[in-house]
Amino acid sequence: MNDEGAEGLPANARERWVVTPEGVRLCVAELGDPGQPTVVLLHGYPDSKEVWSLVAERLRDRFHVVLYDVRGHGRSTAPRPLHGGFTLEKLTDDFLAVVDAVSPGAPVHLVGHDWGSVQGWEFATVRRTEGRIATFTSVSGPSLDHFGHWIAQRVARPTPRRAAQLLGQGAKSWYVYALHTPALPELAWRGPLGRRWPALLRRLERTPEDGYPTPSLPSDAAHGAWLYRDNVRARLRRPREDAYAHVPVQLITPTGDAFLSPHLYDGLELWAPQLTRRTLPGKHWVPRTRPDRLADWIGTFATAHEGATVPRQVVAGGAHADRFGGQLVLVTGAASGIGRAIAFSFAEAGARIVAVDRDAEGAARTAQMARLVGAQEAWAETADVADGQVMEKLAAKVAADYGVVDVLVNNAGIGLAGAFLDTTAEDWRRVLDVNLWGVIHGCRLFGRQMAERGQGGHIVNTASAAAFLPSSTLPAYSTSKAAVLMLSECLRAELAGQGIGVSAICPGIVNTGITATTHFAGVDEAEGARRRARVSRWYGRRNYPPEKVADAVLDAVVHDRAVVPVTPEARGAHLLSRLAPGILRASARVKPPL
Ligand code: NAP
């Protein structure tokens, strides 16, 4: 072993050589304290171990991190002859040789991406590795055996849905057929494709410009073609019947993977009884583009299975726990109503919650409840969203104490009713400061942090059905919400290229405390109080629960929806605003009997 930093890996990575029984020399790198639990990160095709460098860096403080170049890749030697030298059986020999060398006394947490995951499934399902693997995290690489059964089932019973799935995956697998042609892939990789691949990867996958892939790429890709030739046809034709995982498996599925359909994992629980599903917005090369999230999920899963008890967020959770477990979610206006319900829904999905409100006690209550309903962690922060300086301090504190926010919900808002000519400049300032400037401050400060991190995220802005529903009684409120809607649309266009989604939520009439605090312009305090009570009764009678708005928010993030009208009346008004705006204009003149 030497202590030189390995090329492309974090400083102080230690390298050693492991020689397999067949005489192949495998280049193994280690980071972190060997006394800690071992995580083995296995690369795919066409990659070398350095594909994991960003994730390894994030795990090294808590784990003994091990990476190795698969035979024929990076600095590991290739078998001779190549043909027949890359079978899954031989790759299992390599894995066991590495594990025996780096962690002789304890099973390892195995993580594989792409072909690293295809191999990982083999290791996690064959008997001779039993006791050597503690957990397996699979990223973007199915078991060839499961895939073989998946195809056979769909060919045997081709319902329209199953036939579409088959054709869809068939189209995504075009490169697999190409790699089976003799000599051509080698010529392409050692020639023009090899030269252009780094730029292609950056353009198509949006990987950072950080020197990856390593210079060994052309020979990695040429040798790696034998992974396909030695295994794919044989396994798909005759998949193993006993390919059951003997370890807990965490399946991380990127939502925008160009090579693998998420349907490949339908029914996976049959093969992997202890399965935890995770969904990650991103393309295929998530080890390069989403290292924070991957490292967090790998670390949490491994740690959970090191101890005697498995934390709640690892094994269970509310709707969308696969997507939001461990994510940092900040909600403004979280002390009451819709904001509180949103915080609870993300908490139920196992997120980490920052509950922000100007009502400190209310925010603290929300954080406390969020912990009880499933949040991995929850904190309360007091801030007036209308105050730019306060928001700057909040953004700096959140980044320093909790990290970069994955989902930002700009929800704080206040009501203001009354005719335009009765609305004072001060009324306008107050409602625009909170409803519009509050959203601007949030988007500007937290949106910048998300963009600078470069690992995606999502911003939700609470607008209102009033944004597309003109009214003679809510001119200031409606204007503030229309501005939020347009801001959201513009920002969505701007941030799309950085993997940051933006959604505008337009609730409709929801039973919250907002009616009790709404200011009525142009009337004295007694009349204002009477109107507040009356409107509160209407909202109470309508009784649409804020929890349903929260469901719509999580759904909007998962499906990256642009504009989400929530209640039936909001959906109807949204439709009319497009199809028959004249009707809305006419109804805007009707004065409600206040
Ligand atoms: P809510 O029950 O009054 O909750 C709003 C929360 O935001 C309150 O805790 C409030 O604190 C807080 N807040 C207000 N101004 C703030 C500021 N400057 N800084 C920090 N926190 C502030 O109202 P809601 O119905 O849940 O409203 C949430 C959002 O949904 C608002 O943007 C609202 O416009 C929108 N919306 C509501 C409805 C509806 O029918 N309820 C419909 C469409 C849209 P205080 O209690 O101290 O004011």
Side-chain angles (χ1 to χ4, degrees), residues 333 336 338 357-358 383-385 411 413 462-463 477 481 508 510 512 539:
S336 109
I338 293 171
D357 206 287
R358 62 182 173 193
D384 177 352
V385 297
N411 164 78
T462 307
Y477 181 79
K481 294 299 185 180
V510 183
T512 70
Y539 273 56

Side-chain angles (χ1 to χ4, degrees), residues 216-234:
S216 62
L217 168 79
S219 85
D220 300 342
H223 288 147
W226 289 100
L227 290 167
Y228 292 86
R229 295 168 185 158
D230 279 351
N231 297 295
V232 173
R233 264 185 303 192

